[in-house]
Amino acid sequence: MLLAAVVVATSGFIFLSVYAYIPDKLQRLTETIGVCQAERSTAPGWNNGPLVTVEDAQRSDAADRRMRTCMSPVLLDQLAFVGGGIGLLFGLAIASHLLHPWWIVRRRRLKRLSAGTSPKLWEDLDQLSHEMGLSRSPDWRLAPFARTAGGQAFGLPWHRYVQLDAGLLVLHATNRPAFRAVVLHELAHLRNRDVDKTYLTIGIWRAFAVVALFPYLVLVVHPELFRTPFGWHWHDIALVADPGATIYRLGSLLVLTGVVYLTRNAILRVRETHADVTAAAHHGGQVGALRAALERLPAPRHWWNRWGPHPHPRRRLDTVNNPGLLFTAGIWELVGVGIATGLICSNLGFLVGINLLNDAVLALAVVGFVASPVAVGLLAVAIWRATANDPVTAPSARTWLACPVALVAGFAGGSFLSLHSAATVRMDGNLVSPVTWVVSTLLLTAGSVLLAGWITSTARGVLMVPEPARWAMPAVVVVAAFVGAVLFAVWLPASLVETGFAVHRSQPPAVGADIGWYAWLATWTDVTLGPVHRLVFNPLTLPALMLCWLVPVLATRRSRVRRPPGHQPIPLRGAFTAGIVGAACVTAIGVALPFATKAALPSRVRQPAEVDGVPFFAIYDAAGITIAAVTVAVVMAVVVARRGPHRPALAILAGSLTAALSTLAIFFVTDPVACHVNVWDFSPAPTRCFGVVYAQSFSRVAHEILVQGVVLAIPIGLVAAVLGQAYRHRRPSTAAPPPPLGRLGQALTAAPLVLLVAFSIWLSLRVLPLAYQVWLEHALG
């Protein structure tokens, strides 16, 4: 998957660059750019000074949409050109794979082995095939001119071959254990289905070099070679003549080609180590012969050979002795995943999504939502495999910290290697500032580390259950990919805007600004962080958070075997208690707040009419939401600070319960109290107070409480986790685990979970009209 993604991203980069070297297409592109920019410059609302009013912003957006519509035909032509090149590349790779058996047999002049030519050898080979668990023996071939004592597995799914070198037949007579070790290693490739992976990998690399890499290098370094056969001629156009852009593309191509080549070698290396372990498992009591054969292999003489297609003999020997090394997280593989994701997001967002969806923010969000699940899913797989190796021991920083950091580092590098970045650097001035880039990258890193922490915690908790359900690992990977996609779709558009992650706060109202604490409250109760509103007005936010606690609960409560006596699936009591106590605190504060507000603030401040600045009604609304959000953050921090498994999932469960109960309390308890107190000085006083306090929707309040609470819980929870870890280190717990729940306790536990799931789904459906206004109405004009 990684190799295919990297090749697609890199080849797309190359074919887009080649497009600019074809004279007819280059001339069409430059003419279209000139015409569209001329139309844009004369459109009303464009370049007519700063955007002051809403009408100015709408006219500017309309001009931008007309510009994108004007550019769509030529950019779609680019897309078709790139798609044709990638199709040719993979078609050649598949053809290479289909033809490789014929080529190997013909080039090496292999001879067929049969029972008639060497009965004893044939009998031993057939026995080894059965020992390896193969349904049928391969087509055995002898390489008569190969003096080495090796072999090679190749072929197609319907016809597998195993080549035996002439020197290997000598071992059959002189050193039978060594002969068995080599043959079992080759048969292990067939059992592990390595042949197709290996030769598709080789075919993809060769096709990439033939179709994309070499033609582009020749075109850039010596374009005159294309003048005579194709009749091409170039005009003095900056897109080709600009040496800066050419150097940038060549440097990017060098790095990306290295990534493709190293990915190809990594696949070949890991196939070898897996075959060694499989052969050792089927070698009976003669594993020593396999170890001896590995010890006799020559070590690479140069450091760059360590990155070649064959693993270091010491690595192979260590893996045979400790198969758990196969499941260590691959840092460099995740760097490659990040590079591919960065390339895809940058190029697709620039060339495809913007023109098809006609809105930059929505296009980048869609591209991020589609591209990021693969990257996050591979991160989850790497963490799960590393955790499964030893779920009892606390995971190392390599698992939950180094892996997500490597993924983000690769993404940042891949973004700068894209064609979009090359064009932006050449045109100068369209990149975000270094400060914005650093802030956005740090936020992406923090989010990735937090998601990796949830994956690690969930994997440990699930793997420690006796015989966990088979769907547990796929479910955790899918949930991680879904959560990552939702967050990344919000992060990606904001990362390309100068003020995307700026902190916004309201200005003090004109009336009441002389009251110091009230002015401070009016300024800070409505503080927002950049794209948080796109999480609030998002029908996928609550389902993503809900799955973060629902999947661990289900995965630990259901097992393929009967749970042993005293087994407690997941401790939900603490999360329920914290959530209920938090909601009770919100209710108590909300009941007392209108009395305190009416006693402290004069009537002129509490008037419901709109005034200059922020009206009191909006401030009171934001204050209630802020109180509930802070309570959610504190509840989550308390759960994280405690001991026990599944703390991230339990913290989200407790925060979700607090947010749900607080929303109900606001609408059905504190709102009617505030209305009866007449804190807004309605004249005349309302006679019906149910449901009149909040003009905004019920779902909007619930989303704001939970989203803002989770954002606040990140710094508070990190501090609480450190303090809790220090406290547990100094005072180890001696308390006995809680007794297992009976049927009645399980039913009482399941009921609020079912209600919370239904409530979350209902809130997500209710927020759809608001989400449409935020995400789509602007895009559709």
Side-chain angles (χ1 to χ4, degrees):
M1 290 177 64
L2 172 59
L3 179 67
V6 173
V7 166
V8 168
T10 306
S11 301
F13 174 95
I14 292 174
F15 294 135
L16 284 171
S17 301
V18 170
Y19 184 94
Y21 280 87
I22 300 177
D24 294 339
K25 294 186 177 297
L26 176 60
Q27 185 174 359
R28 179 187 177 189
L29 176 62
T30 53
E31 291 177 353
T32 303
I33 292 175
V35 171
C36 295
Q37 286 182 342
E39 293 181 359
R40 184 186 194 185
S41 61
T42 58
W46 170 250
N47 201 22
N48 293 332
L51 304 179
V52 178
T53 65
V54 175
E55 290 75 12
D56 293 338
Q58 291 176 347
R59 285 195 297 268
S60 178
D61 291 338
D64 291 337
R65 286 196 296 271
R66 284 193 296 271
M67 174 70 178
R68 289 189 290 268
T69 302
C70 179
M71 289 291 299
S72 292
V74 68
L75 293 177
L76 290 177
D77 183 62
Q78 285 184 329
L79 178 63
F81 183 83
V82 171
I86 293 176
L88 176 63
L89 188 153
F90 280 95
L92 182 60
I94 293 174
S96 173
H97 172 61
L98 294 176
L99 293 175
H100 86 270
W102 169 82
W103 176 249
I104 291 177
V105 171
R106 183 177 184 277
R107 182 169 63 89
R108 300 178 184 176
R109 290 178 284 181
L110 303 183
K111 305 298 182 182
R112 186 187 299 273
L113 291 175
S114 63
T117 56
S118 181
K120 179 58 178 174
L121 174 63
W122 182 265
E123 180 181 351
D124 291 342
L125 293 175
D126 190 62
Q127 179 181 355
L128 291 175
S129 297
H130 288 295
E131 290 181 10
M132 187 54 65
L134 301 179
S135 58
R136 61 178 180 177
S137 296
D139 186 347
W140 301 98
R141 294 298 177 108
L142 173 65
F145 302 101
R147 299 182 180 181
T148 57
Q152 184 173 350
F154 61 98
L156 300 174
W158 53 87
H159 194 170
R160 300 296 192 192
Y161 297 83
V162 172
Q163 169 193 318
L164 303 178
D165 295 348
L168 187 60
L169 298 187
V170 177
L171 289 182
H172 181 261
T174 60
N175 190 345
R176 190 66 59 84
F179 171 81
R180 285 174 50 88
V182 175
V183 175
L184 283 175
H185 175 87
E186 299 304 326
L187 292 174
H189 283 303
L190 300 183
R191 178 184 175 88
N192 295 343
R193 300 179 179 88
D194 290 343
V195 173
D196 294 322
K197 301 172 188 175
T198 298
Y199 286 96
L200 273 176
T201 297
I202 295 173
I204 289 174
W205 165 253
R206 291 173 177 172
F208 169 76
V210 171
V211 176
L213 179 61
F214 292 153
Y216 180 67
L217 289 177
V218 173
L219 184 60
V220 173
V221 176
H222 206 324
E224 297 301 323
L225 293 177
F226 291 87
R227 180 186 297 274
T228 302
F230 296 101
W232 288 0
H233 60 280
W234 289 272
H235 303 285
D236 186 16
I237 301 176
L239 193 60
V240 173
D242 186 357
T246 301
I247 294 174
Y248 192 102
R249 287 191 176 93
L250 288 177
S252 300
L253 179 61
L254 176 64
V255 175
L256 295 174
T257 302
V259 172
V260 174
Y261 181 74
L262 293 177
T263 305
R264 170 252 195 193
N265 290 350
I267 295 174
L268 301 180
R269 286 197 305 270
V270 76
R271 294 299 95 207
E272 292 297 321
T273 53
H274 274 268
D276 291 334
V277 173
T278 303
H282 292 80
H283 210 282
Q286 302 179 359
V287 183
L290 178 61
R291 294 193 180 98
L294 295 176
E295 290 175 349
R296 288 194 297 268
L297 292 176
R301 297 181 180 180
H302 305 288
W303 67 268
W304 58 81
N305 289 336
R306 299 176 184 269
W307 299 86
H310 293 283
H312 194 283
R314 174 55 56 186
R315 170 70 178 180
R316 299 178 66 174
L317 188 61
D318 292 342
T319 306
V320 170
N321 295 328
N322 181 17
L325 294 176
L326 291 175
F327 302 105
T328 55
I331 300 298
W332 289 108
E333 286 85 347
L334 290 172
V335 172
V337 172
I339 290 175
T341 307
L343 282 168
I344 292 172
C345 289
S346 183
N347 285 338
L348 287 184
F350 175 62
L351 294 169
V352 181
I354 292 177
N355 297 280
L356 294 181
L357 298 177
N358 212 22
D359 182 81
V361 173
L362 183 60
L364 289 171
V366 172
V367 169
F369 188 82
V370 173
S372 60
V374 176
V376 179
L378 292 176
L379 172 66
V381 170
I383 294 176
W384 184 284
R385 287 163 58 92
T387 307
N389 188 34
D390 186 9
V392 178
T393 305
S396 63
R398 176 188 177 90
T399 301
W400 60 268
L401 181 61
C403 288
V405 170
L407 184 66
V408 173
F411 175 82
S415 300
F416 281 109
L417 296 174
S418 67
L419 177 72
H420 181 207
S421 297
T424 305
V425 169
R426 180 182 59 81
M427 291 184 293
D428 191 24
N430 290 329
L431 288 176
V432 297
S433 68
V435 175
T436 302
W437 182 84
V438 170
V439 170
S440 63
T441 304
L442 290 177
L443 287 175
L444 181 62
T445 304
S448 301
V449 171
L450 291 174
L451 185 57
W454 176 86
I455 298 169
T456 306
S457 172
T458 304
R460 286 191 69 199
V462 171
L463 289 169
M464 292 178 69
V465 174
E467 295 289 335
R470 292 183 178 180
W471 55 264
M473 176 191 176
V476 172
V477 172
V478 170
V479 170
F482 178 64
V483 174
V486 173
L487 297 177
F488 191 79
V490 173
W491 176 90
L492 184 60
S495 66
L496 301 177
V497 180
E498 187 66 29
T499 59
F501 294 100
V503 176
H504 306 282
R505 63 178 185 175
S506 302
Q507 296 298 321
V511 177
D514 54 333
I515 304 176
W517 67 269
Y518 174 64
W520 179 87
L521 178 68
T523 303
W524 287 100
T525 50
D526 201 25
V527 170
T528 57
L529 171 65
V532 168
H533 71 285
R534 298 192 183 276
L535 286 174
V536 172
F537 300 104
N538 193 328
L540 301 179
T541 299
L542 288 190
L545 292 174
M546 179 187 69
L547 291 174
C548 287
W549 58 261
L550 182 60
V551 167
V553 169
L554 295 179
T556 55
R557 293 180 70 87
R558 296 183 178 273
S559 176
R560 285 184 294 170
V561 298
R562 191 173 183 177
R563 291 192 298 269
H567 173 69
Q568 182 73 16
I570 182 171
L572 300 177
R573 298 172 182 173
F576 283 159
T577 302
I580 294 172
V581 171
C585 293
V586 173
T587 304
I589 297 173
V591 169
L593 185 62
F595 295 96
T597 302
K598 191 170 183 178
L601 294 179
S603 177
R604 64 184 180 85
V605 177
R606 296 182 285 108
Q607 293 295 325
E610 293 285 338
V611 295
D612 294 335
V614 181
F616 175 76
F617 184 91
I619 296 170
Y620 192 88
D621 177 12
I625 294 176
T626 301
I627 292 171
V630 171
T631 306
V632 168
V634 173
V635 166
M636 295 180 66
V638 169
V639 175
V640 169
R642 301 179 62 186
R643 67 176 71 248
H646 292 290
R647 283 180 293 164
L650 291 174
I652 298 174
L653 172 60
S656 300
L657 183 60
T658 303
L661 295 178
S662 298
T663 304
L664 295 174
I666 287 173
F667 274 85
F668 298 108
V669 179
T670 63
D671 277 4
V673 170
C675 182
H676 280 295
V677 173
N678 198 12
V679 70
W680 298 281
D681 273 354
F682 286 111
S683 182
T687 57
R688 182 178 180 273
C689 291
F690 182 77
V692 301
V693 175
Y694 282 92
Q696 292 85 352
S697 71
F698 191 93
S699 59
R700 190 272 304 175
V701 174
H703 278 76
E704 284 194 349
I705 291 174
L706 186 55
V707 170
Q708 293 181 14
V710 171
V711 173
L712 289 173
I714 294 175
I716 300 175
L718 291 176
V719 175
V722 172
L723 295 178
Q725 181 66 27
Y727 178 81
R728 291 191 296 271
H729 180 74
R730 295 186 61 181
R731 295 188 178 184
S733 175
T734 57
L741 295 174
R743 292 186 176 180
L744 179 60
Q746 293 179 5
L748 294 176
T749 302
L753 294 180
V754 173
L755 292 176
L756 187 57
V757 169
F759 190 56
S760 299
I761 295 174
W762 181 79
L763 290 173
S764 300
L765 295 176
R766 290 283 297 174
V767 86
L768 276 173
L770 297 174
Y772 176 83
Q773 294 176 8
V774 172
W775 287 94
L776 290 178
E777 277 194 349
H778 172 69
L780 300 177

